[in-house]
Amino acid sequence: MMNNIQRKFKELFGGQAAVYASPGRVNLIGEHTDYNEGFVLPGAIDKAMFLAIRPNGGKQVNVFSIDYDEMVTFLPSKEKLPEHWANYILGVVMELKETGAETGGFDCVFGGDIPLGAGLSSSAALESVFAFALNDLFGLGKSRAELARIGQLAEHHYAGVRCGIMDQFASLHGQAGQLIKLDCRSLGFERIPFDPQAAGYRLVLIDTMVKHSLASSEYNVRRQQCEAGVAVVRQKHPSVISLRDISPEMLDESKSLMEPIVFQRCQYVIEENIRLLRACDALQGNDLPTFGQMMTGSHEGLRHKFEVSCVELDFLADLATKTPGILGARMMGGGFGGCTINLVSAAAHDAFIEEATGNFEKQFGLKPKVYDVVISEGARKL
Ligand code: GLA
């Protein structure tokens, strides 16, 4: 991939360019908790977005996408671009500008091996690699956490998804063999070593190949429902700022004052945060079975209370739960499609994959893709 990008750069612009990478992410547990100021437990993966880039001394941005086989040229302004993908880049440039960090024009080529629309955060990796490279090339002096925030805001304002900070944060902060227990309120984080191989396990993603078109609008609806719940509890407890501040008992107290669906959404988030903390304790105590149970509990909550799963994801999660040797399985990311993440014993791995992909194909008529992932390094210059 890297060679492809450099070759294309030379062909289009001539000469050499600096090359950067920023990866996709998995999240072990803590879903839809980030924008509620809770905790998440992501790690960067061994699939990334790569970027060859060189300042051009002018103001114009010339960007070529290998995947779309398309060149876009623009002068940065708040006006959105007709090419959907180019808005992520425009967004990063403009959000940097909002903070007073001016970039000049640049020529670049990008592409990657993160499957698109599979819930592995290819768009966050794209934002992150641009934020990281522009910060480096133009000497903007931003921290990795500040760059993550820039990527998140680009997503809000230029892609219309009011996402949390997890994906960009993981892409920028990843380290090999380490998960990131991130407090999305303070952005303080702790690295938790995670080496399932050493314990005889593998981390496997099974891609339903479902790309749900409602995903981004439903995502924003979930956010509003969480905010609606917070507003009700705040009437009794004025110091409450987010779901992070609300205990299960406080939520119960206000149950009769909120719509049942709002209650259910909030209950999921509060429980998921508790599950995450238990899961981290289990992981640090080398108790993978308990960790796996928390993952499976997360799926149940996402399915029945937060309602962001789909039949294909439920099918795979149910099958994993019934299979001996699978410690935990759940849908991952925003939902409505994408992958399940499975913690699978090495001994059960091959048979499980065969059974899961075979049964899925019988049921839905297409064979899911499977990715064995390794927790890897975050954004970097190559
Ligand atoms: C998407 C968002 C993240 C997070 C997850 C759900 O990946 O980009 O910020 O909210 O969904 O946990």
Side-chain angles (χ1 to χ4, degrees), residues 25 30-32 34-35 163-167 219 333-334:
R25 62 98 189 90
E31 221 64 88
H32 289 272
D34 59 354
Y35 55 83
C163 64
I165 203 165
M166 164 168 74
D167 305 344
Y219 186 94

Side-chain angles (χ1 to χ4, degrees), residues 4 54 137 161 361:
N4 263 353
R54 188 178 61 201
L137 285 173
V161 182
E361 191 176 9

